[in-house]
Amino acid sequence: KAASKIADQRAKADKIDRQLIIDRAIANKERADLLNKADDKEKFTLQERIDFLTLAGQKEDEITAKEIQAAKLRLDAKIAENALGNSTKEQLEEEANLRANLINLETAKLAKAKEVTGQIIALNAEAAAEEQRLKDEKKLKDDEAQAAEDLKAAELKTLKEEIKNAEAVTEDERRALEIEKVGKHYDK
């Protein structure tokens, strides 16, 4: 009965492995396409590129999870077979290899996730830098506009004073203007 269960586990793992060969190829193609799109600054916005990276990470996670599940099935079947007794050196070595394969799959999953996360962080930093550049550019334009407005106001004030001086024709008006100027000077 135990041998039958082990045989069923192996058959299930074999079936999953065959499908995974195709699924992995498809996932690799889709992931490569998404990564290429994520690198294309000309065609896609920053947010679209981040979304492509996120989707590529999800595709990798999905296929790797299936591979890990199949590897666990194989390992569990081998452990159960070896538990039946009288395991040979080759059987124990096969179990160790299956265990190592499982660990390698989990490590690869983490490494690829870290890679995609790093790329997303880089794009987010790029987005933040672009946002800051736009803010700085707007502030510079606003400052220039304010400076131009201040200059126009100063020129207008000077022009009004010149007109007032030119219109002060009589002696009394000139004296009153001088008193006003002196008053302004000391008010400062």
Side-chain angles (χ1 to χ4, degrees), residues 11-183:
K12 184 176 180 182
D14 287 343
K15 185 176 179 183
I16 291 172
D17 282 346
R18 284 190 298 275
Q19 185 59 47
L20 276 175
I21 292 169
I22 296 165
D23 291 349
R24 171 50 81 180
I26 292 169
N28 284 346
K29 180 180 181 274
E30 290 173 351
R31 184 173 185 272
D33 182 49
L34 289 167
L35 292 176
N36 283 337
K37 287 179 180 178
D39 284 340
D40 194 342
K41 294 179 180 181
E42 302 301 317
K43 284 187 181 178
F44 302 105
T45 66
L46 204 52
Q47 187 56 52
E48 287 173 324
R49 293 168 53 217
I50 290 170
D51 292 344
F52 290 141
L53 284 174
T54 303
L55 193 54
Q58 289 171 351
K59 294 269 182 203
E60 183 61 35
D61 280 351
E62 289 169 9
I63 191 65
T64 304
K66 290 177 183 178
E67 290 172 337
I68 289 171
Q69 179 188 12
K72 282 181 181 176
L73 272 175
R74 268 197 195 288
L75 178 60
D76 290 346
K78 191 61 182 173
I79 290 171
E81 180 184 346
N82 288 348
L84 293 177
N86 295 342
S87 300
T88 66
K89 178 183 171 189
E90 290 81 18
Q91 289 171 323
L92 293 173
E93 195 170 300
E94 183 182 348
E95 181 182 332
N97 285 331
L98 289 170
R99 193 176 303 275
N101 182 44
L102 179 60
I103 293 168
N104 288 337
L105 285 171
E106 290 168 344
T107 302
K109 180 180 180 180
L110 293 173
K112 287 183 181 178
K114 182 181 176 187
E115 175 189 342
V116 168
T117 301
Q119 290 171 327
I120 290 172
I121 288 170
L123 287 181
N124 282 330
E126 186 180 320
E130 178 66 13
E131 185 178 326
Q132 186 61 46
R133 184 190 67 76
L134 292 173
K135 282 182 184 177
D136 292 347
E137 200 174 273
K138 184 184 181 314
K139 184 180 181 335
L140 181 63
K141 284 181 182 177
D142 290 349
D143 289 350
E144 287 173 353
Q146 185 62 46
E149 196 175 298
D150 290 348
L151 181 62
K152 284 181 185 178
E155 288 173 351
L156 181 63
K157 183 178 178 184
T158 303
L159 182 63
K160 283 182 179 180
E161 285 190 22
E162 287 175 4
I163 292 171
K164 193 174 182 182
N165 287 341
E167 290 177 348
V169 247
T170 67
E171 193 64 34
D172 289 339
E173 289 175 339
R174 283 193 190 124
R175 274 192 220 120
L177 184 61
E178 285 298 319
I179 291 170
E180 187 180 321
K181 283 182 182 178
V182 169

